[in-house]
Each structure stands twice: as structure tokens, then as C-alpha cells.
Amino acid sequence: MDNCRKHEFLQAGTLQEALPSLWEALQEKTLRMIGQIGDKSPHVAPADTGKYDDLRHDWWTSGFWPGILWIMYDLTGKEQYRNAAWVWDERLEQKSVQANNFHHDVGFQYLPTAVIKYKLTGDADGRRRGLAAAGFLAGRYNMAGQFLRAWNQDKTGWSIVDSSMNLSLLFWAAETEQDPRFSMIARAHADTVVRHFIREDGSVNHIVSFDPHSGQMIEALGGQGAAPDSSWSRGAAWALHGMANTYRYTGDKKYLYASQRVAHYFLSMLPEDSVAHWDFRAAECLDGEPRDTSAASCAASGLLELADALPGAQGRPYREAAERILLSLTRNYGTWNKAEHEAILLSGTGNKPAGANIDVSLIYGDYYYVEALAKLMGWQHRIF
């Protein structure tokens, strides 16, 4: 593809106009990433180097790179993607029988590796590993408070909004094993998200602390947001997408309405270029605050879930909003002119309160960007 044709999508007026040439460029980009990333387990690529790091396989982001590969394989049939993705669930399993730090995010790790591998190839080991991860996640359920415990430190009563996205692992296990215990736990946690994490205005809490014995809520904590009463944008994206997924699995409209409430708030807070700041309440004037392209891409994919869940004119505004976000990410935050850069999107914010990973590329931002574009290309093997 010549350079003029390669970047044709950057001049398109709408995402639908851009999509054919964008999809070609994305294939070229991700094939190049295979050579650049190799066996690394990436999380963050700093802006100055554009090189992804290489973290432990039990780190919560270890599934996103192979998830990109499996999606691209599913839509293109190119063996390069399949070959590069194949070993990742085995690597995760090997780590699981060593000293490790697996926790509430095993859905992020095993859905885009073992589960999608089984869906696409029928691999029995992928099925077995996915079910083992679902059993591990179910074991984190606190019956008194009806929540999935976060992390592995001494905060046994903590739960986080991120786990909204991991519920799909439990729903998949319930369907695969015909065992409703998994879905009972997933629905109970989703009810807790609706009750204690999603605020009346559609903003969300990141962390909620419960008494682990009585189950009583103690307080909401700021976590990766600016303050306990602030509005961390990626947390909103997790809730938006996660509740839309929960509706897809259950058909229960309370989860649909919860996702819509977060979506309406999220969209109302977007700046002119439709890419979210890291926290919608970080300051009275957000002009100097960093963006978070990972919140934007995850929200866009969640909005497409809402669009698919609603008929005709009801779903159209969500699809159009997702396309506006994706077009802005493509035009303003992509690495299309940086062949040496190992990521797809720039300007992610990992954890600003901790001063960590600000204005960087984040592998989960890349993953949800690919996932959202794949949905627009007709991708059917949804895993989240």
C-alpha cells in the first residue's frame, strides 16, 4: 500500500468512510507489532521511546496483546496472528502454578486468550484453562457483601468497578458448563455495581469498601480517580461496557438501563474532540488535564454493545457517538506515521494520582480500539 493510500482514512469525513482503508492500515500495523513486540507481555509504551515494556504474565494486562491477535485472526484468517497468539493461555497457566499475583482481573487475562482460543479453534486446553480461571474468580466472591474481592493485599472488603468487565468470564463458564452457580455470582456482583458503584448521575466510584463479615458498605474511595467524589473516566468506561455485556448475557433490563445511565453521563462530559480527560472532575477547568485514550476506546466499544442491544433508532445515537470517538482517536491519537512505535494509540493515562504512566500508550487502550473497530467490521465472537 503506498503512503497516500495508507493514510487515506485520516482525511475521511466519517468513520464509515474511513473504515476500509483504516482496516487495511490496522492489519499492516498489527502485523508489524508482532515483530516488534515478540514474546513481550506489554503494558506501557512511553511517549519518548514508543517501546512496550515486558511485565510478568500474572500482571493484569497480560491478555490484551494476545486478544488483539485473536481478533485479527478471526477477521482476517491470517495464520501470523494465530501463531503469535497460540501460546499465551499456556503461559498464563504455567504462571498460575508458581508463586503469583492473579486476582480479580483473571477475566482480562483468560477471556482474550483461553476463551477466545476455544471459541475459534475448539481447543480443549483453552476451554479447560478458561473454566479454571472462572473457578478462581468465583472463589473470590464474598457472600455477605455480594461482591468480588479486589486484589490480594489485606483489604479483604474492597471491590472495584473494573470487575464489571470480568463478569463475562463467569457468564461464559455458566453457559459452557451449564452450571448456573457462575452466573448467580456474576449477577450478584453486577447488582452490587448497580447499587453501590454507579451513582445517580451516571458517574461511578472506583473502589467501594465493605465490612467483609457483615457485608455493610463502609465508604467509597478515590482509587485512580482524583478524589472519592470525583469521576474517573476509565472507571465509567468499565461500568458502561461491563453492564452492557451483563445485559447481553442476562437480558435483564436493569443492567441495560445502568449502562445507558453511565453512557449518557460519559458522553455529556466529553470535550470537543470526543476523547475523555482522565477524570471528569479533576479540576474546574480540564484544559490542562491529560486525556485517557484507553477510557475513550473502552467506552466506544461499550457504546457499540448498547447500539447492538437496542433496535433501530434507539441504538443509533450510541453507534454514532462511538464512531465519533473512534474517528477522533484515529485522526488525533494514532501512531500511523510512526512506523517504529510499538503501540496504536497515544495519550493514555494509567494512574495519575500515583504519578504513574501519564501520557503514554496502554495496551488495553489498543485492545479496545481494535475490539471496537472489529465490531464495526462485523465481528461476532464477543468475549467481554
Side-chain angles (χ1 to χ4, degrees):
M1 190 190 308
D2 61 44
N3 284 338
C4 182
R5 171 64 176 158
K6 184 188 300 184
H7 297 141
E8 185 178 295
F9 57 88
L10 295 175
Q11 283 73 51
T14 68
L15 189 69
Q16 287 301 322
E17 293 173 359
L19 201 54
S21 60
L22 173 58
W23 187 249
E24 290 183 40
L26 185 62
Q27 289 181 62
E28 181 178 324
K29 172 69 176 176
T30 50
L31 286 171
R32 186 163 62 246
M33 288 167 71
I34 291 174
Q36 293 170 324
I37 293 174
D39 288 335
K40 291 193 297 187
S41 180
H43 176 202
V44 175
D48 57 346
T49 68
K51 306 297 182 186
Y52 265 124
D53 55 4
D54 181 16
L55 298 188
R56 307 183 318 263
H57 289 165
D58 59 347
W59 186 252
W60 74 276
T61 61
S62 57
F64 290 112
W65 167 234
I68 291 172
L69 297 170
W70 279 119
I71 291 174
M72 297 303 292
Y73 169 68
D74 192 16
L75 286 177
T76 69
K78 293 180 179 179
E79 290 295 316
Q80 298 101 307
Y81 295 118
R82 181 183 185 276
N83 293 340
W86 187 266
V87 298
W88 276 95
D89 59 320
E90 180 180 351
R91 290 172 177 168
L92 294 177
E93 182 180 48
Q94 288 172 351
K95 186 63 178 174
S96 74
V97 296
Q98 304 167 3
N100 65 69
N101 194 38
F102 287 108
H103 49 56
H104 59 270
D105 277 336
V106 288
F108 281 138
Q109 293 163 303
Y110 281 87
L111 284 164
T113 56
V115 172
I116 193 170
K117 181 184 191 178
Y118 169 63
K119 284 190 174 188
L120 298 184
T121 73
D123 181 69
D125 284 330
R127 181 182 189 276
R128 175 180 58 78
R129 290 164 183 148
L131 290 172
F136 174 87
L137 183 59
R140 302 184 67 84
Y141 180 65
N142 181 297
M143 290 184 288
Q146 297 186 309
F147 64 86
L148 293 168
R149 176 191 169 182
W151 298 303
N152 293 327
Q153 295 89 351
D154 59 355
K155 304 293 192 294
T156 56
W158 282 20
S159 188
I160 60 174
V161 74
D162 316 39
S163 290
S164 304
M165 293 296 294
N166 289 280
L167 299 182
S168 294
L169 180 63
L170 298 176
F171 286 121
W172 167 80
E175 291 179 353
T176 301
E177 285 286 89
Q178 293 297 294
D179 187 340
R181 292 177 299 170
F182 292 106
S183 57
M184 288 172 182
I185 291 172
R187 290 187 68 141
H189 181 85
D191 289 345
T192 298
V193 171
V194 173
R195 186 164 56 250
H196 290 301
F197 284 83
I198 300 176
R199 303 171 184 145
E200 187 175 352
D201 68 353
S203 62
V204 306
N205 296 313
H206 179 201
I207 302 170
V208 175
S209 173
F210 300 89
D211 182 306
H213 301 286
S214 71
Q216 287 293 112
M217 177 181 171
I218 299 173
E219 62 181 334
L221 302 165
Q224 288 176 243
D229 60 349
S230 70
S231 181
W232 181 45
S233 61
R234 191 164 66 251
W238 294 143
L240 188 170
H241 198 329
M243 290 299 99
N245 296 346
T246 300
Y247 173 69
R248 186 177 79 242
Y249 281 106
T250 66
D252 190 328
K253 287 193 174 180
K254 68 182 170 185
Y255 306 123
L256 173 66
Y257 298 151
S259 179
Q260 287 180 292
R261 188 159 83 249
V262 179
H264 297 168
Y265 172 82
F266 190 99
L267 294 173
S268 75
M269 300 299 290
L270 291 181
E272 187 174 348
D273 74 349
S274 295
V275 173
H277 293 90
W278 75 280
D279 189 306
F280 294 126
R281 297 176 186 157
E284 282 192 25
C285 177
L286 291 172
D287 287 347
E289 296 292 332
R291 305 300 176 97
D292 183 11
T293 52
S294 74
S297 62
C298 180
S301 189
L303 289 165
L304 292 174
E305 288 294 328
L306 280 178
D308 287 348
L310 294 162
Q314 293 181 48
R316 189 178 305 122
Y318 299 112
R319 183 175 299 278
E320 291 173 350
E323 291 183 4
R324 286 195 299 273
I325 293 170
L326 291 167
L327 184 62
S328 182
L329 288 173
T330 301
R331 283 176 171 171
N332 304 315
Y333 298 91
T335 61
W336 312 108
N337 295 311
K338 302 173 184 284
E340 73 287 352
H341 204 294
E342 294 180 359
I344 301 171
L345 296 178
L346 304 167
S347 300
T349 298
N351 187 344
K352 189 170 187 293
N357 302 325
I358 302 165
D359 192 22
V360 296
S361 297
L362 297 165
I363 193 61
Y364 44 93
D366 287 355
Y367 171 83
Y368 285 106
Y369 177 77
V370 172
E371 181 185 83
L373 292 178
K375 290 174 181 178
L376 292 173
M377 294 295 294
W379 183 54
Q380 296 300 312
H381 292 112
R382 308 289 171 87
I383 49 174
F384 284 106

